[in-house]
Each structure stands twice: as C-alpha cells, then as structure tokens.
Amino acid sequence: MLSIVMVTMTVRLSFAATPPQQRFEKANALYKQQQYTQAAAQYQQLIDEGYLSAELYLNAGNAYYKSSAMGEAIYSYEKAQQIDPGNEAVGRNLALANQKIGSTAQSLPLLFFERWWMDLQRLHSTNGWAIGTIVLCWILIIVFAVHRFISRSILLRIAGYLTAALFIGYFAMAAWVYNRAQHQDIGIVMHGMAKVKAAPDANSKELFEVKEGIRLDVVDRTATFYKVALNDGKTGWVPVESIKTL
Amino acid sequence: MIHMTRIGKKSILTLLACCTAIVAMAQADFRFSTQVSSNTVALDEAFQIQFTLENAPNLSQLLPPDFKDFDVLQGPMQSNSTSITNGRRTDVVALIYLLRPKRIGNFTLAGATARVDGVTRKSNPVTIEVVKAVGNRNNLPQPQHQPQQMPQGYGRRPSQGIEDQPSIVRKGEDVNEKLRKNIFLKVDVDKTSVFEGEQVTATYKLYTRLNTSSNVTKVPAFKGFSAKDVELPNPPQATIETVNGATFKVFTIRKTMLFPLQSGALELDPVEVDNQVRLIKLGANTRRNQQLDDPNFRDVFGNSPFDDPFFEDFFNRPEVTYEDVPYKIKSNPVTITVKPLPTAHRPASFTGAVGQFEMTATGDKKTLSTDDALTVKVTITGVGNVNLMRAPEVAASDAFEKFDPKVMDNIDKNSNPLSGSRQFEYIFMPREAGAQTLPAVEFSYFDPKKGEYKILRSPDFPLQVSAGKNTNKDKQDYSNLGRNDLSNIYPTVKGWVKQTPYLFGKPLFWALLVLPLLLYGGVAFYRRKQEYKVNNANVLRHKNANKVALKRLELAARYLKEEKDKAFYEEISRAVWGYLSHKLRIPMAELSKQLVQEKLQDKVEESNTRELFELLDNCEMALYAPVGSSQSRQHTYRQAIDVISKLEDELKKVMA
C-alpha cells in the first residue's frame, strides 16, 4: 500500500516541460551579461513553477539586487535561508541587501533551546514529518498485531510502547510544522512603500510607512489586510498585496 | 544735484533734490501737458499755468481753455525753443498765463487744444483748489519767463523750476498740508487679481516737489510671495511725472517681480520713508541779497536775470531761513487677490510652473555601455516663474542609477515679466545591458492667460546598452570578495526538486493513518469469526454427544447380533470415548482416563465414574483378550447405555 503512494508521488514530481537546468543556465548567462531584470524574470519563472532550491533563490536574489528590486531580493534571500539555513553566501548577501535598504532588522541570536527547537523542526521537511507519522503508524499497528495474535513477548511490548511514543511525537511535529507553513508569520515589504494603517480598512488613518524590503512579523490577518509588527514594536495593518509572506 | 546712496541691504536711500536742477529729458516723442505752479492757491494769489507742447510737427493752432473762474493777469506768453541732446532734437512750444482766482472752491481747468498735423489734441485738465486768502500778502509771485521743462542748454540761466515754489513757506501757510501735497509715496501694481505663481510687478515710487533728503526705513517683506527685485540705476534717476497738473520728481524706490506662493487676499506691506524736507521760510523784507551784487554771478548768466520782478522779490528778502522739517511718509497697503490654480485637469507632472514655456530634452548618447553615463539635458525656456521651477521627474526604471539633476539658470535679469531658461542636467548610469528605454520627460505648466494646463512631452530615449568592462568586478569576487560585494551566483542547482504539496491534513494522509487500523480490525474480525466457527462446532458436538453415542451403540448392537466381537467392543469403546470427548470438550488426541477423571471429578457422582472406568476397562480387556461369552457382551452393551445416559443426566444438570 505504501509503495503505491510513493509511486503516485514520484509521478507527480517528475512532471515537467523543459529541463530546468537549461533554463537556469540561460538565466545565469543573462546575469553575466548584466541583463539583470531579464535574468531575474527567468529565475522567477522557475520559482513560480515550484522548484525549491536555495541556489535558485540566491541567484534570483542577486539578479533582483542588481536590478534594484530590493523587496524581491530580500524575499529571495530569506527564502533561500529558509531552505538552507547554514548557507554562508545567502547569509552574507541577505546582510548586504539589508544594509543597502538601511534595515537594522537583524534578528536576535537564538537561545540554545530555541536553536535546538529550530534544528528539531528542520530534522525533516514538512512532508517528511507527515510521512514519518504514517510509517510509524504502520509499524505501531504491525507490532501491536503481532503482539496480539502471534507472540506475547515482552520485547514486542517494549517496541510497541516506543513506536507509540514516536508516533505521537511525529504527529505533533507534523501538525506544528504544517501549521507554521500554512500561517507564515514573516513578511517582506514589496514594491515601494507599504502604508501602515490604524485599522484593516483602506480609509483608516495612516500611521507610518515602511520601506521596501523591510522584514515584518505578521501577527493577524483578515481577507485583505495583515496586521504587522515591526522590530521596534510598532504595529498596524497593511494591505495584503503590499507584503509577501515567506 | 541728486545724490543717492544705497548702503547694503538696509536700502537706505538718500535723496537730495536741489531746486536748481531740472532734469534734461531727451524727449523725442510728442507730449502735450498742462502744468501749474501750485494746485492750491489763495484767493488773492496769482499762479502760473503753462501748456507745453513737445515735438509737435505742423502745429497750426494752440488755444487755451476758457479761464472763466480766473482773471488773466498776464499772458499769453508763447515761448519756442529747440534743443539737441544726444543727437535728438526737441522742439518745445509753451503757452504761459498768469492767473488769479475769482472765487473760493475747486475748479477744473480743461486742457488746452492744439491742432497738430491736422489732428486736434488736448492737454490734461488740472484741478485748482482756491482757499481763503491768508494774511496781508503784499507780493504776488511773478510769472516765470522760462518754462520749467526747458532743456538746460537753452536757458540763459539755471531754470528756477517750479519745484522752487513749493519749498517756500509763506507766512501762515500750513507746513503739514504743504508736505502732504508735495511729497508722497505711491505703489503701482500691474495686476490686482492673479493666479498662484503668476507674476505681479509692484513699483514703490516716491513723488516729491520738495527738497528732501530721504531714507527708506522700512522695506516691504512681501509675505506669501517669492520676490525678485528689478535692478534699479544707482544713483537713482528721477523721472518727471505730472500729477494733477503739478510736476513731480519721481524716484523709484523699489521695483519687484512678485510670484504669489499661496492663494487668498495677500497684502503688500507699505514702504516707509523718513524725509528731511528743506523748506525756505521767508522773513521780513529788509535788504538785498549780497550774492546778487556779485559781478561773477552776473558774468555766469550774462545779462541780468534778476531784473525779473519775481527774483527781485525773492532775493530781496534778506531773511531767508532754511528749515529742515522731518516728515515720515508711508505708502498705502495694496491687496492682491490670488486665485488658486484650478484642480480640475491638473496633470500629474505639474509642479507649480505658471507662465508660457517651451521644453527641449536631449540625450547625449544612443548607444553606451554599463560603464558609461547618459546625460539628458532638459531646458525649459519661457516667461513665468522660471526662478521657482522644479526639476521635472524622469520616471527611469530601476535599470538606471539616478542622480539629482544639476540646475543651471539663464534668467534675463532685466526682463519684466521674468523670462529666461532653466536647464536640468540629469545623469543616468545604466546598470543592465540590453535594449533599454528611458521614458519621456514630461513637464506641465499652467498658462494664466488661457487659464488652462499645458503638458510638454519629449520623445522617449531608446538606448542600446552593451555590457561594460566592469564585468571584471564580478570576476574579482572570487579572489577578492570585497565587504560590499555580493556572493556570486551558483552555476548549478544540486537537485531540481519541486515544492510538493503538503501531505499533512490531506485526505490521503488521514487515509494512510486509518488504513492499518482498518487492516488490523479486519484481521481481528476474521480471527474472531474463525474462532466462533470452531466454538460453534464444539457446542453442536456437545449437544449431540448423546445422539452420536446412541448411533454408535446401535451399530454395536448389530455387531452383537452378528457376533463380531472385536468390532462390537471397538464400537462401544468409540461411543464412550467419543461421547466423553464431545461432552467434555477434550480433543480426541488428548483424551486419557486421567484427564477424564479430573474433568468429571466434581460434576459426576463417584459411583458413575467408577462404572464408566469399569466399562472402559472391560472394553479394553475384551479388545486385547477376548472373553467369548455373549452374556458378558450383553452386559457391556447395557452397561454402556446405562453409563452414557447417567452421565448425560448428571452433566446436563451441571451444565444447566
């Protein structure tokens, strides 16, 4: 049964038109010729098709950076960092981009247990956790069945308890990671200024403006507005289209 | 002589008007004017009226107006003169009368009529205020022989201009009234209703007929305007203007081009001038002025000019005292109505330019590399608030690095209204190679004459940008990665993995979680069913144990009749064991006497058990050592039936 599922997933994955590497190299060539806007458009096309790679995002970020689209650039770097948190080039370019827009939004270093927690979350991908949950569920039931019907050995019982604990853990993590992915709590300001309003209403008072490329925490959301919080604690509502969530 | 000094920004203006000076005016144009020696006269006072014609070709007739309210004491006296100044010829014809009013009141003397070149011309009318005679005046002013407009070169002596006369304060004359009439400030504004940003020219002028040293103590601040002063000649030049028949020297204090910065009723502040007016006071008539006897004086002027009764009169007064009277004057404030610019149809590119303009925009290159810079020069030329013009926005894309434009002005200083050009020099550095287009420069202004906005637009600037040499910079990144350089792009991607849709929460996910549970359930159910089936068979067997046993016994009875001994005992044995097996739920294989005894122990009476085992022993014995008596076989048969029925009864009781 499991193998059938895996087969359907691989079928879905291998659905593509032209080899992406070719197009990636074409974009790289445009970048080398200093045609940054076009290069960025090429990279973005690959990203829009759903390819997920830190390298792709870094290149796109560089092209955006060079064509002065700082919002998109920072978004791409942040995305690359999300995929590959340890990448030095990404960290460096992100810092440069933030420096260029004059953002002092350097997140505080994490405490050790926060780091552990982040590492734990990154142990598997979102779907990794979900697949793990399923696999553990199967193992658990097989162990239980064997114990029940075939052999009542104490070892089996211990194995059963262990699998049950792991299953619960994986399920909880899968749910948590999925929830986090669904409700992104970090946004980047896109295209010029974002006007921050006092209420989620286009006619409400304008509190302040946020520059393109600034990183915001998304606290709350309605259909058309995000409630955002800045590093310095200021909060307000911005229209959905003016920021892009990670 | 006039001395005028302006010290710094304080604009201290010193005027010194001397009576002895008459400004030579090189007038080539036709002029016909009326001048009077004084606008205010006492009833018994004589005054002079002069009609001056300048440059009148083919003068055929010169008629005075009707002096019905005045007596003509003297005249008409006609004077003709010609002068050539700076190569320009001036012909002056003057008609002079000496008049004395008949009544008190205000009278308007119509201008004289002249036929010039066949066209009838009229000079300006003059209003004369006649007041009551004051004191006992013993002398009348004598008419002057020389018209005050007479060019200097022609006169045989320095003309004692009519300006002289106001300086003389006669006895009983009100000094303040005199000052008020003969010295004042005036503000000339060319328009009083303008649009925001439209030019207004304000001219502050000092009119004087007196000898005065003047200081400007307060200059207007022009609140709400952007002001641009028109340069005035230094020392100031006086012009002659005739106001109500009286000739005034006019000094322009300040001439400013004003551009309103806001709408509404804006007030032009007044200018304040402190004057020291030199007045001549006439005292008692005792002796002749020494100066007049001086032979040198006579020499200068040739024949004796002082034969004139007027001068006789004037200079014979020995006690002529001069007095400097301070007099402060202030101009009237002027209100200018500034209309706001219409908001309808206002172009997005409008930045406040008002006037009439033209624009040229040129780029210096069509092809360039990313190392080069493109210079776009935008020149806006025209009439209007050029000095306040802001740089038009060039909406260049992010593919260009932009710099603030360099502004160069070429404003005509002497122009009024303000005109000139302002040049904006934009520099663009292409960041990217390829075919790029720099969008058109758009400039819009408001035309106050037509009352509408105009948009000027240059063509687009298509550019062919080639990759410059600073690609080297990227190469250097490998060896010498500067602190501010981006890390290079990756040549390849490790794996082309697409973002998979989230599995968690999908029906598939839940299905896969529930599936093993279902499988487990299925297995368990199956096993349960199997077990039930087995159990069910046992129950039936248990129930039917008696019947089975009876059937076997029936068979045994047949064997008994047929005298098949072995078969008979076998059948009896089977019947009993089978019964026990089914009834006690013991599989055949496990069946043993011991087990049976255990099972039956507390269910069946001791005697019955003993009987059972006796029977089983008998059967075994008979099988291995046949005892041939038919009676014993009969007995065994009956015993078997007996035991089974007894066990059946007792087990039923126990089971129930």
Side-chain angles (χ1 to χ4, degrees), chain B residues 20 56 517:
Chain B
T20 48
L517 278 173

Side-chain angles (χ1 to χ4, degrees), chain B residues 461-634:
Chain B
F461 303 98
L463 298 169
Q464 197 57 50
V465 184
S466 57
K469 291 228 164 47
N470 66 356
T471 29
N472 296 345
K473 246 190 211 169
D474 286 345
K475 278 176 195 160
Q476 281 169 6
D477 280 6
Y478 288 108
S479 54
N480 180 24
L481 205 61
R483 282 187 66 214
N484 293 317
D485 294 327
L486 284 181
S487 296
N488 227 356
I489 54 167
Y490 283 99
T492 52
V493 166
K494 273 175 213 150
W496 286 100
V497 186
K498 276 204 177 179
Q499 160 99 59
T500 45
Y502 292 124
L503 184 60
F504 188 88
K506 295 274 154 56
L508 178 69
F509 176 79
W510 297 118
L512 286 171
L513 276 192
V514 173
L515 195 68
L517 278 173
L518 288 178
L519 283 179
Y520 175 81
V523 169
F525 182 74
Y526 176 76
R527 282 184 68 107
R528 193 89 180 260
K529 205 159 186 186
Q530 287 296 321
E531 221 163 80
Y532 173 76
K533 264 186 198 159
V534 172
N535 284 349
N536 208 25
N538 287 348
V539 168
L540 277 176
R541 249 179 279 159
H542 177 83
K543 265 189 186 167
N544 299 334
N546 203 16
K547 283 181 193 165
V548 172
L550 283 176
K551 267 190 185 161
R552 292 235 166 101
L553 287 178
E554 266 173 38
L555 194 62
R558 219 164 64 210
Y559 291 144
L560 185 67
K561 267 183 207 162
E562 291 168 8
E563 296 194 344
K564 287 178 180 169
D565 288 357
K566 202 167 179 185
F568 169 75
Y569 280 112
E570 261 175 18
E571 208 52 48
I572 293 282
S573 176
R574 250 184 230 162
V576 174
W577 281 116
Y579 176 79
L580 286 171
S581 165
H582 289 162
K583 211 67 190 178
L584 299 177
R585 294 192 175 108
I586 303 167
M588 245 359 172
E590 289 171 32
L591 214 54
S592 70
K593 276 184 190 162
Q594 203 181 346
L595 193 62
V596 170
Q597 203 171 4
E598 266 173 38
K599 288 258 177 185
L600 290 177
Q601 216 162 28
D602 44 349
K603 294 174 186 165
V604 179
E605 270 179 46
E606 192 64 36
S607 58
N608 289 342
T609 320
R610 227 182 301 123
E611 216 172 327
L612 175 68
F613 286 120
E614 202 180 307
L615 176 68
L616 288 172
D617 287 345
N618 280 346
C619 286
E620 263 171 59
M621 289 267 283
L623 275 173
Y624 300 110
V627 192
S629 118
S630 66
Q631 274 171 341
S632 65
R633 272 179 249 147
Q634 279 285 333

Side-chain angles (χ1 to χ4, degrees), chain A residues 84-101:
Chain A
D84 186 3
N87 193 319
E88 264 180 47
V90 171
R92 175 198 164 79
N93 288 5
L94 179 58
L96 271 176
N98 275 328
Q99 195 185 320
K100 191 176 177 189
I101 60 156

Side-chain angles (χ1 to χ4, degrees), chain B residues 33 47 50 55 125 161 180 203 258-259 288 325 346 384 405 418 490 494 504 582 625-626:
Chain B
S33 59
F47 68 98
Q50 174 177 342
N55 298 320
R180 192 177 61 77
T203 316
L258 297 169
F259 300 95
R288 211 180 146 89
V325 182
R346 182 180 292 187
L418 192 67
Y490 283 99
K494 273 175 213 150
F504 188 88
H582 289 162

Side-chain angles (χ1 to χ4, degrees), chain B residues 393-498:
Chain B
E393 192 75 31
V394 182
S397 71
D398 290 331
F400 293 95
E401 205 168 331
K402 286 169 269 189
F403 298 92
D404 283 340
K406 206 164 93 183
V407 181
M408 273 177 295
D409 277 350
N410 183 16
I411 292 170
D412 192 354
K413 272 187 183 162
N414 297 319
S415 62
N416 185 18
L418 192 67
S419 65
S421 67
R422 186 167 263 202
Q423 190 183 64
F424 302 96
E425 200 176 296
Y426 296 83
I427 290 174
F428 296 98
M429 300 262 292
R431 286 199 180 102
E432 294 187 28
Q436 312 267 6
T437 302
L438 196 67
V441 184
E442 192 183 289
F443 173 75
S444 53
Y445 65 92
F446 181 74
D447 188 337
K449 280 186 188 152
K450 290 182 182 155
E452 60 186 16
Y453 291 100
K454 297 272 172 70
I455 299 173
L456 303 175
R457 187 186 269 278
S458 76
D460 285 352
F461 303 98
L463 298 169
Q464 197 57 50
V465 184
S466 57
K469 291 228 164 47
N470 66 356
T471 29
N472 296 345
K473 246 190 211 169
D474 286 345
K475 278 176 195 160
Q476 281 169 6
D477 280 6
Y478 288 108
S479 54
N480 180 24
L481 205 61
R483 282 187 66 214
N484 293 317
D485 294 327
L486 284 181
S487 296
N488 227 356
I489 54 167
Y490 283 99
T492 52
V493 166
K494 273 175 213 150
W496 286 100
V497 186
K498 276 204 177 179

